[in-house]
Amino acid sequence: MPKIKIDPYLIPLLEAFQQNANPQKAAEMEAYMLHQFPFFGIQAPTRKQIQKTFFREYSLLRLERLEQIVSNCFEQPQREFHYFAIELFATHKTLWIKDSALFIDYCIQQKSWWDTVDGMASDWFKVYFTLFPAQTKPVTARWNKSKNIWLQRSSIMFQKAYKQETNTDLLSAYILQHANSTEFFIQKAIGWALREFSKTNPTWVKQFVAKNKLAPLSKREALKRL
């Protein structure tokens, strides 16, 4: 595996990851993720404790520096660095500005797979659009029209934490734009977005599924809890 230059800020984190590495778990994690990425083999509870300790000791005060480090994390091969990048950016939301949408676009497209893209949807999107509500439609419309499937998926999934605040017009429009997609991760995203909203408004979801032609996978996922 080629060695990637690591930012000095991340050296203590690298050491902690190396000390807690588990080759057997790494092999299991890599297999679960279809061998898309190498892992240190650190399970989520341990990784989160490492990160919690790190955040207490090493804070950042400038957005430029934050973006440099997050970018460097995504350059690292091991998946734990990518998970850390998501939490690092989320814990420094007081540094975000309106133009942080451009950096979020960039991150969505780095080492993209369902786990990191959905992690950003959970930890970043609602926070950003709450801070900058006027950005909601321009940014998510750009994602929806993109040819990048992970930006498309983000437009469909960005309201997963909105519950009763969900904009059903946007949810409907963004789903229908890609309802005929043959891409597995888009079909799955449509189903997951609807399934999540069914916890808040099952009637709307039932009616939407009945009214519109969706891929069998999307429909099955959407109605799973109903």
Side-chain angles (χ1 to χ4, degrees), residues 97-99 101 125-142 158 162 167 170 174:
I97 60 174
K98 186 181 78 169
D99 286 346
F125 298 168
K126 186 177 181 182
V127 176
Y128 174 79
F129 292 125
T130 299
L131 289 170
F132 308 101
Q135 289 285 84
T136 303
K137 288 186 180 179
V139 171
T140 58
R142 182 174 74 243
F158 87 93
Y162 279 47
N167 182 325
L170 284 185
Y174 292 167

Side-chain angles (χ1 to χ4, degrees), residues 108-119:
I108 291 170
Q109 299 175 80
Q110 302 307 304
K111 307 288 176 67
S112 306
W113 200 245
W114 64 266
D115 54 339
T116 52
V117 172
D118 292 3

Side-chain angles (χ1 to χ4, degrees), residues 167-186:
N167 182 325
T168 53
D169 289 339
L170 284 185
L171 179 62
S172 176
Y174 292 167
I175 286 175
L176 295 179
Q177 178 68 25
H178 297 283
N180 295 324
S181 174
T182 58
E183 170 57 55
F184 171 83
F185 288 110
I186 297 301

Side-chain angles (χ1 to χ4, degrees), residues 10 70 95 105 110 124-125 143 161 166 178 220 223 225:
L10 296 169
V70 170
L95 299 180
D105 282 17
Q110 302 307 304
W124 293 5
F125 298 168
W143 292 348
T166 297
H178 297 283
R220 185 167 62 250
L223 300 177
R225 292 181 176 272

